[in-house]
């Protein structure tokens, strides 16, 4: 049975809080368990002042940074009248043509639409185009692909899974009676489709951790949909569990960050992120959260830093800040992912860990989320799914 104490790691966090010291009982924010509003706002402004040193209308995240600085920084106003209505046309075409990483684009445009759709900086025609592109978005691989079109989207890894479900859920919530997606079901139907998938994703992270453990690339891509759900979902259960999983992710960042460097084993990474911590996709968010490096931010449109800087509902637990700043020594024992015997020997009807089925289509998100598309016990289900939904 799932225990959300596993997610919160309550006993460990409380013990570390005591060990990290500087406990001030007069601090109201610490009593609430989260960092103070002053700390959160000061860290947000620290990043936003950096981000607004450039004005890049082609980046929805950079636009959000400018509009958010207007809210937090009296006297600042973003440039007006400088955004062309065709600025995202190439992004819309990428989304419509089902190209890889279109879900990243959709998530950032969704934050722009839901958070700033009525902001005077944005031309009304551009907002209408963003709305239409998201209503016409293919939310999941089970939706029909038109004849002659190739779906080059990556749906399988855990970060992509949550991003697609988040976009579908929130678009359904915002436009319950509108036809949307490639199947043209109503928003209400799409929201009902995405909700159990989101809750299942939370459950899997609580039970098995992150398949892309400690990734200095994909923790950013997990953080952004979690924050988006916390900020915009009306459903309290969704918001609460998204906050719990985000706490767990930031706990990983805090525990394994030294002077701003997320220096630990990474379940998925690339050469571009390994040569220096300044190139970590998590660098900007870690610096904003913990302020533990003298090196500067590295991107004026960093997805994690931008969405953290505009968060209204989420504030990091105080204990995570203390953990990040602690110099105590510790031994970290943890478990991530599930074991699969990839080498065999082959057997008919293999049974997965915890008795999980390798043939049940409902479990495809588990095995694909582990990047186990071609592990021999999963191959039959992978082939069956590719054939059924034209994913070749």
């Amino acid at each position: 049975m799932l225990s959300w104490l596993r997610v919160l790691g309550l006993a460990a966090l409380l013990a570390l809080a005591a060990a990290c010291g500087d406990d001030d009982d007069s601090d109201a924010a610490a009593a609430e368990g989260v960092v103070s509003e002053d700390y959160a706002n000061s860290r947000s402004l620290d990043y936003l002042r950096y981000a607004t040193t450039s004005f890049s209308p082609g980046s929805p995240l950079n636009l959000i940074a400018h509009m958010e600085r207007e809210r937090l920084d009296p006297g600042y106003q973003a440039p007006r009248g400088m955004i062309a209505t065709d600025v995202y046309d190439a992004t819309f075409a990428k989304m419509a043509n089902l190209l890889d990483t279109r879900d990243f684009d959709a998530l950032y445009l969704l934050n722009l639409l839901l958070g700033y759709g009525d902001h005077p900086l944005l031309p009304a025609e551009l907002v209408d185009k963003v709305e239409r592109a998201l209503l016409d978005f293919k939310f999941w691989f089970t939706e029909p692909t038109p004849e002659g079109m190739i779906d080059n989207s990556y749906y399988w890894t855990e970060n992509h899974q949550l991003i697609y479900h988040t976009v579908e859920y929130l678009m359904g919530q915002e436009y319950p009676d509108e036809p949307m997606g490639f199947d043209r079901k109503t928003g209400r139907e799409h929201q009902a489709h995405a909700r159990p998938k989101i809750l299942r994703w939370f459950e899997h992270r609580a039970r098995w951790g992150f398949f892309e453990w400690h990734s200095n690339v994909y923790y950013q891509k997990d953080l952004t949909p979690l924050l988006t759900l916390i900020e915009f979902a009306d459903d309290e259960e969704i918001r609460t569990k998204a906050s719990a999983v985000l706490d767990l992710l930031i706990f990983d960042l805090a525990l394994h960050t030294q002077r701003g460097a997320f220096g630990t084993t990474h379940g998925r990474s690339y050469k571009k992120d390994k040569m220096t911590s300044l190139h970590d996709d998590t660098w900007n968010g870690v610096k904003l959260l913990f302020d533990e490096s003298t090196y500067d931010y590295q991107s004026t449109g960093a997805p994690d830093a931008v969405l953290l800087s505009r968060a209204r509902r989420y504030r990091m637990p105080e204990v995570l800040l203390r953990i990040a700043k602690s110099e105590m020594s510790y031994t970290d024992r943890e478990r991530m992912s599930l074991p699969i015997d990839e080498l065999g020997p082959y057997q008919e009807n293999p049974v997965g860990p915890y008795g999980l089925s390798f043939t049940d289509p409902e479990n495809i998100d588990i095995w694909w989320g582990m990047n186990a598309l071609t592990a021999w016990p999963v191959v039959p289900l992978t082939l069956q799914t590719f054939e059924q939904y034209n994913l070749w």
Side-chain angles (χ1 to χ4, degrees):
M1 185 174 209
L2 173 63
S3 167
W4 283 93
L5 283 179
R6 159 65 184 89
V7 176
L8 296 173
L10 187 58
L13 293 181
L14 290 174
L16 280 164
C20 292
D22 294 331
D23 189 17
D24 185 353
D25 291 337
S26 66
D27 188 334
E32 294 174 4
V34 295
V35 296
S36 70
E37 186 175 3
D38 285 346
Y39 178 85
N41 286 343
S42 69
R43 296 309 303 148
S44 293
L45 272 174
D46 186 62
Y47 175 72
L48 292 172
R49 288 179 177 131
Y50 170 86
T52 52
T53 56
S54 71
F55 184 68
S56 306
S59 164
L61 292 162
N62 183 257
L63 285 185
I64 289 173
H66 281 275
M67 292 184 284
E68 194 57 29
R69 184 177 172 188
E70 281 192 351
R71 184 180 74 88
L72 289 176
D73 193 359
Y76 176 78
Q77 186 178 77
R80 295 292 195 266
M82 298 178 61
I83 304 177
T85 57
D86 64 352
V87 67
Y88 300 134
D89 281 5
T91 301
F92 300 149
K94 174 184 174 182
M95 291 161 59
N97 289 312
L98 307 183
L99 301 182
D100 181 32
T101 73
R102 65 187 178 89
D103 51 324
F104 299 165
D105 298 310
L107 185 73
Y108 308 148
L109 290 170
L110 180 66
N111 275 272
L112 188 73
L113 177 66
L114 297 184
Y116 306 91
D118 58 354
H119 196 284
L121 182 65
L122 301 178
E125 182 181 343
L126 178 60
V127 174
D128 289 344
K129 291 171 78 171
V130 170
E131 180 182 75
R132 175 44 52 193
L134 289 170
L135 287 170
D136 291 342
F137 190 73
K138 182 179 179 180
F139 296 111
W140 198 233
F141 66 78
T142 53
E143 295 180 26
T145 301
E147 189 71 30
M149 178 178 282
I150 296 174
D151 190 345
N152 279 310
S153 314
Y154 276 48
Y155 297 101
W156 9 93
T157 60
E158 67 186 355
N159 70 88
H160 285 293
Q161 290 171 354
L162 184 62
I163 293 172
Y164 277 109
H165 301 332
T166 296
V167 175
E168 180 177 23
Y169 181 85
L170 291 175
M171 283 300 293
Q173 173 185 282
E174 189 71 9
Y175 304 95
D177 299 315
E178 289 282 336
M180 60 179 65
F182 274 36
D183 56 12
R184 308 317 290 167
K185 292 183 178 179
T186 66
R188 190 172 286 104
E189 290 175 295
H190 277 283
Q191 185 181 19
H193 173 260
R195 186 178 189 276
K197 292 184 177 296
I198 290 171
L199 292 174
R200 182 173 161 91
W201 193 94
F202 294 160
E203 179 185 353
H204 292 170
R205 303 293 74 73
R207 294 178 66 188
W208 304 317
F210 293 90
F211 297 147
E212 298 164 323
W213 77 88
H214 302 161
S215 175
N216 56 352
V217 180
Y218 293 105
Y219 266 22
Q220 181 205 75
K221 301 305 185 189
D222 295 324
L223 182 150
T224 49
L226 288 168
L227 263 180
T228 303
L229 288 169
I230 294 165
E231 295 301 312
F232 296 111
D234 294 336
D235 187 315
E236 185 177 359
E237 183 181 8
I238 294 282
R239 293 199 311 269
T240 300
K241 291 184 176 180
S243 296
V245 177
L246 183 53
D247 289 347
L248 180 64
L249 185 150
I250 294 176
F251 175 57
D252 277 352
L253 292 171
L255 200 64
H256 299 98
T257 295
Q258 175 71 12
R259 289 186 292 180
F262 187 31
T264 186
T265 65
H266 302 302
R268 281 184 77 196
S269 190
Y270 304 102
K271 181 180 177 181
K272 72 178 181 63
D273 300 87
K274 294 178 180 178
M275 307 311 289
T276 165
S277 290
L278 298 177
H279 295 168
D280 282 5
D281 288 355
T282 53
W283 172 266
N284 298 278
V286 165
K287 180 173 175 62
L288 183 153
L289 287 168
F290 306 139
D291 190 22
E292 278 291 284
S293 175
T294 57
Y295 289 95
D296 210 345
Y297 298 101
Q298 300 297 305
S299 170
T300 59
D304 49 353
V306 169
L307 297 192
L308 283 166
S309 70
R310 61 95 45 219
R312 315 280 205 275
R313 286 174 166 168
Y314 183 82
R315 252 191 280 162
M316 175 176 62
E318 169 73 19
V319 66
L320 299 184
L321 179 61
R322 297 184 186 184
I323 291 168
K325 292 183 174 294
S326 171
E327 296 183 2
M328 67 180 286
S329 298
Y330 61 88
T331 299
D332 174 34
R333 295 185 178 92
E334 59 186 66
R335 182 194 67 192
M336 298 283 192
S337 195
L338 292 169
I340 293 182
D341 186 355
E342 298 180 72
L343 300 180
Y346 170 80
Q347 57 182 291
E348 290 191 27
N349 304 315
V351 177
Y354 296 97
L356 292 166
S357 169
F358 286 119
T359 59
D360 185 350
E362 289 299 310
N363 287 343
I364 197 71
D365 59 333
I366 298 174
W367 310 128
W368 283 6
M370 296 173 62
N371 274 310
L373 288 79
T374 57
W376 71 266
V378 184
V379 165
L381 183 57
T382 292
L383 298 181
Q384 172 188 319
T385 308
F386 277 21
E387 289 289 350
Q388 183 175 357
Y389 296 108
N390 190 25
L391 295 176
W392 283 107

